[in-house]
Amino acid sequence: MTEWKDEMTAIERMTAYAKGEDIDRLPCVPIVGNTAARVIGVKVSDFRGNGELIAKAHIAAYKLFHYDNIRVFTDLYTQAEAMGSEVIYPEDETAYLGQPVIKLDPRLSNLDEIDKLRPADPYKDGNLPEHLKAMRIVVDAVGEEVPVGGAVTGPFTNSSFLVGAENLVRLTLKNPEAVHKLCQVSLESNLRYVDAVIDAGVTPSLTDAMSSSTVISPRLFRKFSLPYLKKLIDHIHDKGKKVTLHICGKTDGIWEDMVKAGADCLSIDNDADILKAKELVGDRVMLMGNVRPSETMLEGTVEDVRKATVEVVRKVYDSPKGFIVASGCSLPTETPFENIHEMLNTVRRIGNPFAIKDATSIVA
Amino acid sequence: MEKEELLRQIADAVVEMEEDTVEELAQQSLTAGIDAYETIDLGLAKGMERAGQLFDEEEYFVPELLMCSDAMNVGIDVLKPHLKSENVSKKGKVVIGVVEGDTHDIGKNLVRLMMETGGFEVLDLGRDIPPAEFVSKAEEYGADIIGIATLMTTTMPGMKEVVDILANKGIRDKYKVIVGGGPISPAFAKKIGADGYARNAADAVKVAEKLLGNTDLALGA
């Protein structure tokens, strides 16, 4: 349970932190996704086509844990689904991709199918309207006290959901032109969607799993992912919003590029070294991360969570552009509540990071 | 062309992802009367092994590895009809699949490829496989190894279920269970009672060889 009372709301804290003013504690975001279903006791599949329920769950989860950012999120496939890909909804687990909309034959001879793709209409297609509805409800309910984000899947990753991941990575080497077409139409979907997300009063939050150096080389990232990400981020900036960019897995070879793409905050996966991120790009972007979502948050004890949280704060609390204590990726649905509470309580016990003399004095 | 030189060029062409060159050289090897198995083993598989090393060293990534395997498969298609049946001796039988609830199968496909080129006989169950099916298929196939992959934290409990089913049926010792995938750690593998943890596709082959090697020792073979 929450044993410590926060002295500031999340928005007060984030605003003061950005200005370098005193704060009661570091911002903390255990990235809650479908765990929100557990908070209100519903099945994950109940979220399908039900913006009101998604909103209710995220509001309840926020009120239970009091973290510093609500991210309206169920899965990565919402935009690909709106463009025609099949998404499978197990009764009580996170949805996953079924048949992609473009069914390429093994010889890749029907690539002209790609030309038939059209960007999704966020107000009509798939479950996008319900996600937008969820965002509006959340902002109305708690938007005064906590920043609200809407999950947007980046162009390269969305492309992989349109043709299948294996086909997309093959095409990066076999037919670059096809990949550019896919990324372009995904970007157009993204642009429409982020406009709608911003109109809903919410900040787009970018996830781009397939851009990871665990999958493609930094060279291919720069060729196929970066140009489209940059256009997307420029567009969001033009609308006056800051951008958090999460790329899963290994990313150290592309941090510079993620900064170049214009991201204001990099969300660092637990597979990457966040101390190194502080040294290399911490002077230019805020960092968030990277307690292990599965080993520590799902499987670990409360004590494990406390230790991991202290450890990451010791490493990164003094990152020049700021640091948000977070999980390295979205939390698994069944993450125990006490572990989520413990991450926040640890940060509360550590208190004001500006009052810290040195890393060794950080205890909780 | 010397035999060694030809085999070396085939391996190089696999590493360089050149399907057409592989096809052409594989044909040449047959014309030159080189044993098809030898060309696969010392040419194609050698090249794939080097591709695996490059993947390990982060010179190659998933796209490159897939393209190398495409090139290798072109060569195998040419050579397969010419294989003599006695030289298809295999290191062991593996059933492999992605656990139920997860349809990410790039990683699993790479493991299958590397295992096949590493000399294992592999039955690929596909993705989204219920735990009980891993066991029933392993029994049917007479597998030595059960390989279970997942990329998602949500489906990790399914891995433990496979081990538990084996134990409940009293056939746990018949199989070596290897787990791997994004969220999996050696600690998790140990916790659920798996025999091995594979860091990546190249590693999976080494782990499998090691585990079966140990079995032989344990049996006094």
Side-chain angles (χ1 to χ4, degrees):
Chain A
M1 281 305 296
T2 315
E3 37 182 304
W4 302 62
K5 190 118 179 69
D6 289 328
E7 291 159 29
M8 309 172 95
T9 67
I11 285 190
E12 285 168 355
R13 182 175 303 113
M14 293 303 289
T15 312
Y17 194 37
K19 289 186 194 157
E21 292 167 3
D22 247 9
I23 49 176
D24 55 347
R25 62 164 172 83
L26 279 167
C28 178
V29 182
I31 309 171
V32 168
N34 284 329
T35 308
R38 298 294 173 259
V39 175
I40 59 166
V42 298
K43 294 206 164 78
V44 174
S45 62
D46 295 338
F47 285 154
R48 183 180 188 181
N50 193 340
E52 276 161 34
L53 198 68
I54 297 172
K56 187 180 169 197
H58 277 282
I59 294 164
Y62 160 71
K63 289 194 166 164
L64 178 62
F65 301 115
H66 279 276
Y67 38 71
D68 291 274
N69 188 293
I70 299 176
R71 179 162 165 269
V72 176
F73 172 79
T74 55
D75 58 81
L76 293 171
Y77 311 107
T78 46
Q79 287 162 97
E81 180 183 47
M83 293 174 79
S85 287
E86 179 200 14
V87 175
I88 293 167
Y89 293 83
E91 196 186 353
D92 202 15
E93 281 164 33
T94 298
Y96 58 90
L97 187 71
Q99 285 290 320
V101 56
I102 304 290
K103 291 154 194 77
L104 293 177
D105 63 53
R107 294 242 150 233
L108 302 174
S109 61
N110 56 339
L111 288 174
D112 49 352
E113 292 283 311
I114 293 171
D115 296 325
K116 295 182 190 158
L117 286 169
R118 294 290 169 265
D121 179 344
Y123 296 106
K124 248 174 50 191
D125 294 332
N127 283 303
L128 295 177
E130 293 298 323
H131 278 258
L132 291 170
K133 188 199 272 178
M135 292 173 203
R136 283 191 290 267
I137 298 172
V138 173
V139 165
D140 279 348
V142 290
E144 299 275 312
E145 53 187 279
V146 59
V148 183
V152 176
T153 304
F156 188 72
T157 301
N158 190 67
S159 298
S160 78
F161 303 149
L162 300 176
V163 292
E166 203 168 309
N167 280 328
L168 185 75
V169 296
R170 268 206 181 88
L171 288 171
T172 58
L173 298 174
K174 280 196 169 166
N175 194 322
E177 197 45 47
V179 180
H180 283 299
K181 277 185 190 169
L182 286 161
C183 288
Q184 181 60 35
V185 73
S186 291
L187 172 67
E188 283 163 27
S189 263
N190 283 156
L191 292 172
R192 289 167 202 220
Y193 191 47
V194 299
D195 281 347
V197 166
I198 292 168
D199 281 346
V202 164
T203 303
S205 160
L206 302 187
T207 304
D208 208 1
M210 285 289 290
S211 286
S212 168
S213 306
T214 308
V215 182
I216 55 166
S217 62
R219 189 179 65 84
L220 289 181
F221 170 78
R222 286 189 277 273
K223 187 168 169 188
F224 293 111
S225 185
L226 177 62
Y228 300 94
L229 266 180
K230 178 149 185 11
K231 282 182 190 154
L232 181 58
I233 294 173
D234 284 347
H235 182 80
I236 298 170
H237 282 166
D238 286 345
K239 297 234 156 185
K241 297 281 188 186
K242 299 223 176 209
V243 177
T244 296
L245 174 59
H246 177 80
I247 297 182
C248 304
K250 279 183 227 155
T251 45
D252 51 338
I254 56 172
W255 287 335
E256 279 298 334
D257 297 300
M258 291 165 78
V259 174
K260 261 189 224 151
D264 303 281
C265 174
L266 302 191
S267 161
I268 306 283
D269 189 282
N270 40 287
D271 261 4
D273 181 352
I274 198 165
L275 183 62
K276 204 168 136 202
K278 176 181 87 173
E279 286 156 7
L280 293 177
V281 292
D283 58 333
R284 281 161 291 157
V285 286
M286 189 179 250
L287 297 175
M288 66 184 276
N290 70 346
V291 175
R292 293 173 186 281
S294 130
E295 259 183 301
T296 305
M297 297 302 291
L298 174 70
E299 302 270 331
T301 61
V302 165
E303 181 62 14
D304 293 334
V305 173
R306 189 185 61 78
K307 279 190 188 151
T309 306
V310 169
E311 191 190 320
V312 75
V313 173
R314 282 187 178 180
K315 282 187 196 162
V316 214
Y317 77 100
D318 57 352
S319 195
K321 286 280 179 180
F323 170 58
I324 299 171
V325 185
S327 50
C329 208
S330 288
L331 294 179
T333 306
E334 311 306 338
T335 303
F337 291 176
E338 66 258 33
N339 282 358
I340 302 176
H341 281 304
E342 184 61 19
M343 180 186 256
L344 279 140
N345 285 337
T346 302
V347 172
R348 289 181 183 115
R349 278 178 230 126
I350 291 169
N352 179 359
F354 296 109
I356 292 167
K357 284 194 279 308
D358 58 69
T360 54
S361 68
I362 295 171
V363 286
Chain B
M1 200 179 332
E2 291 282 327
K3 180 167 122 187
E4 281 71 29
E5 173 62 13
L6 185 62
L7 294 178
R8 196 184 57 75
Q9 284 188 13
I10 289 174
D12 286 350
V14 168
V15 175
E16 294 302 325
M17 308 168 249
E18 290 160 355
E19 289 182 20
D20 295 347
T21 314
V22 170
E23 187 170 13
E24 200 179 299
L25 293 175
Q27 290 290 1
Q28 268 188 45
S29 79
L30 290 172
T31 317
I34 302 171
D35 181 66
Y37 179 76
E38 217 174 329
T39 310
I40 291 178
D41 192 32
L42 301 174
L44 297 173
K46 200 96 197 156
M48 203 57 210
E49 193 187 314
R50 264 167 49 207
Q53 280 164 10
L54 289 168
F55 180 72
D56 236 5
E57 292 159 11
E58 294 183 27
E59 275 298 314
Y60 275 12
F61 294 77
V62 174
E64 289 81 3
L65 206 53
L66 277 175
M67 296 282 285
C68 291
S69 80
D70 287 353
M72 178 190 70
N73 284 330
V74 166
I76 287 179
D77 286 346
V78 173
L79 297 166
K80 215 173 196 172
H82 302 274
L83 274 179
K84 299 184 196 104
S85 57
E86 78 262 23
N87 50 26
V88 224
S89 77
K90 292 283 180 178
K91 284 183 192 159
K93 285 177 147 188
V94 184
V95 295
I96 184 170
V98 178
V99 98
E100 188 170 28
D102 190 349
T103 58
H104 301 86
D105 59 0
I106 282 196
K108 183 266 296 167
N109 291 347
L110 291 178
V111 174
R112 182 196 66 216
L113 274 164
M114 297 307 287
M115 295 285 257
E116 281 173 350
T117 38
F120 288 89
E121 245 175 295
V122 184
L123 176 66
D124 186 350
L125 303 177
R127 52 194 194 171
D128 196 17
I129 303 302
E133 199 175 322
F134 278 94
V135 176
S136 63
K137 294 285 180 189
E139 287 282 286
E140 251 170 57
Y141 188 58
D144 306 294
I145 292 174
I146 301 175
I148 323 169
T150 189
L151 198 74
M152 298 166 73
T153 51
T154 46
T155 53
M156 286 164 62
M159 293 183 152
K160 180 171 187 301
E161 229 178 290
V162 175
V163 179
D164 291 347
I165 293 171
L166 289 172
N168 289 339
K169 293 196 169 210
I171 50 173
R172 178 66 189 86
D173 294 341
K174 271 173 79 177
Y175 303 100
K176 298 293 176 188
V177 177
I178 303 177
V179 295
I184 307 303
S185 64
F188 176 80
K190 205 170 159 189
K191 189 176 156 189
I192 64 164
D195 299 291
Y197 159 77
R199 201 163 33 86
N200 59 33
D203 194 38
V205 181
K206 288 178 214 150
V207 173
E209 283 170 350
K210 205 172 136 203
L211 284 175
L212 292 190
N214 286 348
T215 312
D216 289 346
L217 283 179
L219 296 173

